[in-house]
Amino acid sequence: MKKRILALGGDGIGPEILESGLRVATHLAQRAGIELHITHDLLHGASWDVHNTFCTEEVLHQAKTSDAVLVGAVGGPKWDNIRVPGGAECQDGLMYLRHHLKTYLGLRPSRAWRALLHRTPFRKDVAEKADVLILREMCGGAMFATERGQRQVNGLRQGFDMTAYDEAEVARFAHGGFQLARQRRGRLVSCDKSNVMESYKLWREIVSDVAQAYPDVAFENMFADNCAYQLIMRPNDFDVVIGCNQLGDILSDLTAVFAGSLGMLPSACLSDNPNQGPVFGMYESTAGSAPDIAGQGIANPVGTILSVGMMFNYSFGLPEFEPQLEAAVSGVLASGILTPDLGGTATGAEMTDAILERIP
Ligand code: NAD
Ligand code: MN
């Protein structure tokens, strides 16, 4: 079997954690008998500095002809306020790829790790079984508003981003959520602010309609503010939580608290529901480019490494590696080989070595 990966390091700690992910991907490919072709290119700030665009057409073309894209992270103060002509997708390299590759289904799992419970603000009994999948819609909502900008209203500057979701966008996303809930513990919460916003009223109506097709999944609608509160008060009770682009972004960083560090969280952005077989996807740590620790070699590589497990599962159709990687990570955490965000002194490369040694 042949597989093509496009590898985009991006900015800040991105290239460091990407390197860890690629080492693990290469190792797993050898074990699986996969001939892995890796193409490297630039994204976002790194691309801007060379090409004056956050994502070149060549990168988009490479992504389209790959089975998966593995990303480090993007962004940094140097580029955060650059505005270029074009829509929301033109302002950010990752968003450009998500938009054009239609990777609408954002999986952001977070779980408690026994060896890191003491790094969380929780009592052991509150969060020791936490294992949540935040599902974030990746291609619409306020973040991709087509009506956006700044204007003068009554002599004052007003900034605006119009939130809009059509019923097809919500329905395809909700189906993805229910299908994934079936493969997990069969529970799904949809969060919205339908008490106060029109776009969320439609959201709730469509998700509730889709829920009818999945009577085997325990389904509940929740207002997003309450959902944030309940997630922290009783994390063990949640399984899959679905939300729009913006709410999913915020809730996924929130649930990183269960894992003990934002650097522990993997993610997948899938172009289709994965229950019918392998789908194209983009894989990256949920966190950002961490400019505060970039270039020191101390970034936690686990989020990217676990993203590689998701890549083998969802884009290569090889689910067996995900649990093996989780077990290897668990073993390394217990052994105390930890990057500074986890309370240790190991470098990212040392932690990656230790994980590789524990993969069967
Ligand atoms: P961030 O996620 O980069 O960092 C938040 C905190 O978590 C920092 O203290 C950082 O040191 C820590 N952290 C993150 N990843 C870590 C890792 N692997 N190991 C150890 N510690 C880690 O968020 P920010 O500082 O708000 O944003 C920085 C830049 O990243 C911004 O330009 C933002 O736009 C961008 N961003 C990119 C992505 C992405 O690439 N998917 C996601 C979020 C933010
Ligand atoms: Mn985010």
Side-chain angles (χ1 to χ4, degrees), residues 49-345:
D49 288 349
V50 177
H51 301 296
N52 232 36
T53 174
F54 288 123
C55 183
T56 62
E57 289 310 302
E58 171 62 15
V59 166
L60 179 60
H61 171 75
Q62 289 291 342
K64 281 182 174 165
T65 54
S66 297
D67 296 286
V69 180
L70 189 63
V71 179
V74 304
K78 185 177 170 195
W79 310 283
D80 280 350
N81 292 312
I82 295 173
R83 266 180 247 173
V84 299
E89 70 279 8
C90 299
Q91 318 304 321
D92 182 291
L94 259 183
M95 286 174 69
Y96 189 83
L97 291 174
R98 287 169 186 161
H99 174 80
H100 287 286
L101 301 166
K102 302 184 175 63
T103 53
Y104 65 91
L105 199 58
L107 286 67
R108 299 179 155 210
S110 180
R111 52 161 287 189
W113 300 87
R114 187 182 295 273
L116 296 179
L117 274 173
H118 71 286
R119 302 285 304 170
T120 77
F122 296 104
R123 286 200 321 267
K124 189 166 176 279
D125 60 307
V126 174
E128 65 184 338
K129 295 197 189 74
D131 182 357
V132 175
L133 176 65
I134 302 291
L135 209 61
R136 169 184 171 192
E137 201 291 324
M138 302 299 299
C139 288
M143 288 181 170
F144 280 101
T146 49
E147 289 175 43
R148 52 167 43 216
Q150 295 187 6
R151 58 191 172 197
Q152 289 281 332
V153 177
N154 297 330
L156 296 173
R157 284 180 303 155
Q158 182 193 62
F160 62 100
D161 303 271
M162 192 189 81
T163 298
Y165 270 114
D166 68 41
E167 54 189 328
E169 280 176 297
V170 179
R172 68 176 179 179
F173 174 68
H175 277 291
F178 283 101
Q179 298 279 356
L180 287 163
R182 268 186 176 163
Q183 292 163 24
R184 291 174 52 99
R185 302 191 303 283
R187 308 176 67 165
L188 184 142
V189 167
S190 173
C191 66
D192 62 47
K193 286 292 292 176
S194 59
N195 45 338
V196 287
M197 288 168 68
E198 277 303 319
S199 58
Y200 287 125
K201 287 190 200 302
L202 182 70
W203 176 281
R204 183 170 287 213
E205 196 181 313
I206 302 301
V207 174
S208 302
D209 280 352
V210 170
Q212 304 289 316
Y214 303 88
D216 50 321
V217 175
F219 166 64
E220 190 180 346
N221 285 303
M222 220 180 256
F223 297 129
D225 40 358
N226 179 36
C227 183
Y229 171 71
Q230 301 292 342
L231 269 168
I232 296 302
M233 284 304 277
R234 47 184 187 92
N236 294 341
D237 293 347
F238 286 82
D239 181 13
V240 177
V241 177
I242 70 172
C244 72
N245 206 336
Q246 196 170 9
L247 293 176
D249 186 21
I250 295 166
L251 291 182
S252 54
D253 272 34
L254 181 88
T255 57
V257 179
F258 307 156
S261 168
L262 194 49
M264 294 294 294
L265 261 55
S267 84
C269 298
L270 307 181
S271 59
D272 207 347
N273 201 326
N275 70 323
Q276 305 284 0
V279 295
F280 173 82
M282 300 215 299
Y283 300 85
E284 45 161 334
S285 151
T286 290
S289 58
D292 52 336
I293 57 164
Q296 300 174 43
I298 56 166
N300 183 341
V302 172
T304 311
I305 289 172
L306 295 177
S307 302
V308 168
M310 296 180 85
M311 178 169 83
F312 274 70
N313 182 359
Y314 295 114
S315 289
F316 298 174
L318 297 167
E320 60 270 29
F321 293 112
E322 252 196 294
Q324 292 178 18
L325 284 184
E326 285 203 32
V329 168
S330 252
V332 171
L333 296 176
S335 78
I337 302 170
L338 306 169
T339 44
D341 58 307
L342 305 176
T345 55

